[in-house]
Amino acid sequence: MKAPTISKKDIIDVFQYRHATKEFDPNKKLSDDDMNFILQIANLSPSSFGFEPWHFVVVQTPELREALIPIVTGAPLRLKTASHFVLGLSMKAPMTRWDSNYIMHMMKEVKQFTEDTIDIYLGLYREFQKHDHVLDTDRKLFDWASKQAYIALGNMLTAAAMIGIDSCPIEGFIREKAEVLLREKFGIDTEKYGLSYMVAFGYRKENPKRLKSRRNIKDISNWK
């Protein structure tokens, strides 16, 4: 595979262009090809042990978007104007524990490991959960899975900006009500999946009124 040759300036320009879009132009829509491209970027994102503990629900049905409004604090305008609205789900403990059926499926069917490799990998993963990070509660396992899902989120935001598509990540939602809604309206098994974030995609209605302000690189890093 040939190494990419994207210039550093072009990459910086993409990050300068990307911003958390508050309101989208409701008359401009992403193509199915563009949305599938963004999902492919999520699919190719790295995750701890390569276990991909995520799922993405693209919410295009008006009634379902309307149902989300009461549980999404501060984002109803995005729900109403975004071209595409995505729920970022993360796997819960029954899916991510070292001895779960899903983990065995990933190693056997997806990664197609040999039996010897499975034994080694499973031992490392068990050690990782039990001792390295002490992921000994359901909440800790879900939070670990959410960290992986956020890697996919960051990549989706950047890839969208690279092709001129705007976005806005959303964390403000009422968790208890979200669980009920996922079960009753979206048919999600909330024993297996929980909502980590939402993200809206579309085209900005207007440019931001100010340039990005960030701390100096010297304030956020040091060399030893």
Side-chain angles (χ1 to χ4, degrees):
M1 184 178 294
K2 187 178 178 181
T5 56
I6 306 169
S7 74
K8 291 190 282 291
K9 181 182 182 307
D10 285 345
I11 295 171
I12 293 295
D13 285 347
V14 166
F15 277 85
Q16 290 286 7
Y17 175 81
R18 192 215 63 78
H19 81 114
T21 303
K22 303 300 183 290
E23 183 177 1
F24 297 90
D25 185 338
N27 299 311
K28 293 182 179 179
K29 303 296 181 183
L30 276 68
S31 66
D32 288 343
D33 183 67
D34 283 341
M35 192 63 230
N36 283 326
F37 162 76
I38 292 169
L39 291 173
Q40 186 178 10
I41 295 300
N43 182 237
L44 290 170
S45 294
S47 60
S48 184
F49 286 86
F51 284 149
E52 308 171 41
W54 49 55
H55 186 79
F56 305 96
V57 180
V58 184
V59 186
Q60 297 303 90
T61 307
E63 292 78 12
L64 290 177
R65 287 206 190 183
E66 194 70 26
L68 282 167
I69 290 176
I71 72 158
V72 182
T73 53
L77 192 57
R78 298 175 185 88
L79 271 165
K80 292 178 179 178
T81 62
S83 169
H84 288 64
F85 197 87
V86 178
L87 307 181
L89 308 182
S90 298
M91 292 180 181
K92 292 185 176 180
M95 300 283 278
T96 56
R97 275 195 303 265
W98 68 270
D99 57 350
S100 72
N101 290 334
Y102 171 76
I103 296 302
M104 188 58 69
H105 160 74
M106 285 295 296
M107 291 190 293
K108 283 188 173 181
E109 278 76 37
V110 178
K111 297 183 179 299
Q112 297 186 342
F113 286 163
T114 64
E115 290 300 324
D116 287 345
T117 302
I118 287 174
D119 288 343
I120 294 169
Y121 217 72
L122 201 58
L124 291 171
Y125 188 50
R126 182 175 61 243
E127 187 72 14
F128 173 83
Q129 286 193 350
K130 287 181 170 292
H131 302 292
D132 295 353
H133 284 257
V134 195
L135 303 176
D136 55 357
T137 67
D138 288 0
R139 182 54 192 260
K140 285 181 181 179
L141 279 166
F142 177 72
D143 288 345
W144 170 82
S146 290
K147 290 178 181 178
Q148 315 312 310
Y150 269 83
I151 297 172
L153 171 63
N155 287 339
M156 286 191 287
L157 300 179
T158 300
M162 291 179 76
I163 59 172
I165 292 171
D166 292 301
S167 60
C168 184
I170 300 161
E171 287 188 305
F173 59 89
I174 304 168
R175 185 169 299 278
E176 293 79 10
K177 292 183 178 180
E179 292 273 308
V180 174
L181 196 63
L182 287 174
R183 282 195 304 272
E184 295 182 353
K185 296 289 187 181
F186 290 86
I188 300 296
D189 185 345
T190 54
E191 295 296 315
K192 295 180 177 179
Y193 293 94
L195 182 61
S196 292
Y197 56 76
M198 295 161 283
V199 54
F201 295 100
Y203 295 93
R204 63 188 71 183
K205 187 173 182 180
E206 58 183 27
N207 286 318
K209 294 180 171 58
R210 52 180 289 183
L211 296 175
K212 284 188 175 179
S213 55
R214 294 290 191 272
R215 289 186 290 159
N216 191 285
I217 290 177
K218 292 179 180 179
D219 294 330
I220 67 166
S221 64
N222 66 311
W223 294 49
K224 296 292 188 180

